[in-house]
Amino acid sequence: EITIQKRIMPPLNYSPNVRSLMRIFSLTAEDLHRPIITLNTTVDINPGGIYFITGASGVGKSLLLNELAAAFASSEKINLNLLPLSEKAAMIDSFKSVPKALRVLSQTGLSDVASMLLPPAILSEGQKYRYRLAKCIFSSKPIVVADEFCSALDKITASLLCNRIRHIA
């Protein structure tokens, strides 16, 4: 169980542009001292669970995800979106065990040798995403944080990966 309480306050720098917007929208300094976003929630996270945060654009999904991720030790989690992409080393060289890498890459749809011999930075966006997902699986960390999960993939590939991830979890 994780409890999150966070308030996001607007900047209090009254630049000429800010003052102009305040006049246009009839805002006072008191209005700007109110929080833009207030998170106050408790979330139950269970081993083997897969959790999605959904909602309209701009409602704080990424903020909530980042706050949830911050509640766990760095030794327990890996953030898919923050994994670097080598520009020089072959994809396969970024894994310590080739047999395990082949299994994990195959699970994420990157089993073709041509892709494995290329640096991850020059792959297509979908391949980069699947590479990062493979790195998360390979890490064996119990918590994978992924903002905009599978958004870089077509619907069929995303569906296949979601089923594989559910099986792995």
Side-chain angles (χ1 to χ4, degrees):
E1 185 174 290
I2 300 168
T3 300
I4 297 171
Q5 293 181 324
K6 176 109 178 169
R7 293 175 65 153
I8 304 297
M9 300 295 289
L12 298 178
N13 176 7
Y14 296 103
S15 69
N17 289 338
V18 169
R19 286 193 301 274
S20 177
L21 276 178
M22 289 172 69
R23 278 191 304 278
I24 292 169
F25 291 99
S26 301
L27 296 172
T28 66
E30 185 179 297
D31 293 327
L32 293 185
H33 287 285
R34 289 189 213 133
I36 296 173
I37 297 174
T38 301
L39 289 177
N40 189 6
T41 188
T42 300
V43 181
D44 288 324
I45 306 268
N46 299 305
I50 296 174
Y51 300 90
F52 294 94
I53 301 169
T54 63
S57 179
V59 297
K61 298 180 300 293
S62 295
L63 176 66
L64 178 58
L65 178 65
N66 292 333
E67 290 299 313
L68 283 169
F72 295 98
S74 59
S75 61
E76 296 181 321
K77 68 184 176 206
I78 187 167
N79 190 324
L80 182 143
N81 305 91
L82 300 179
L83 294 175
L85 298 169
S86 173
E87 294 182 12
K88 296 181 180 179
M91 179 195 312
I92 196 67
D93 288 335
S94 67
F95 294 92
K96 292 179 181 174
S97 165
V98 171
K100 183 178 176 185
L102 292 174
R103 181 175 51 79
V104 171
L105 288 167
S106 177
Q107 288 175 322
T108 59
L110 288 173
S111 57
D112 61 298
V113 175
S115 294
M116 289 183 220
L117 297 176
L118 295 173
I122 68 168
L123 299 172
S124 72
E125 290 305 309
Q127 288 172 317
K128 288 175 186 176
Y129 190 86
R130 290 180 284 152
Y131 164 76
R132 285 182 168 128
L133 185 56
K135 292 292 286 184
C136 290
I137 296 166
F138 190 88
S139 77
S140 298
K141 293 197 177 188
I143 298 165
V144 174
V145 177
D147 199 0
E148 303 272 342
F149 186 73
C150 287
S151 64
L153 304 174
D154 63 89
K155 288 183 180 186
I156 294 170
T157 304
S159 178
L160 290 170
L161 274 180
C162 286
N163 284 325
R164 288 181 185 147
I165 295 303
R166 185 179 302 126
H167 177 74
I168 291 167

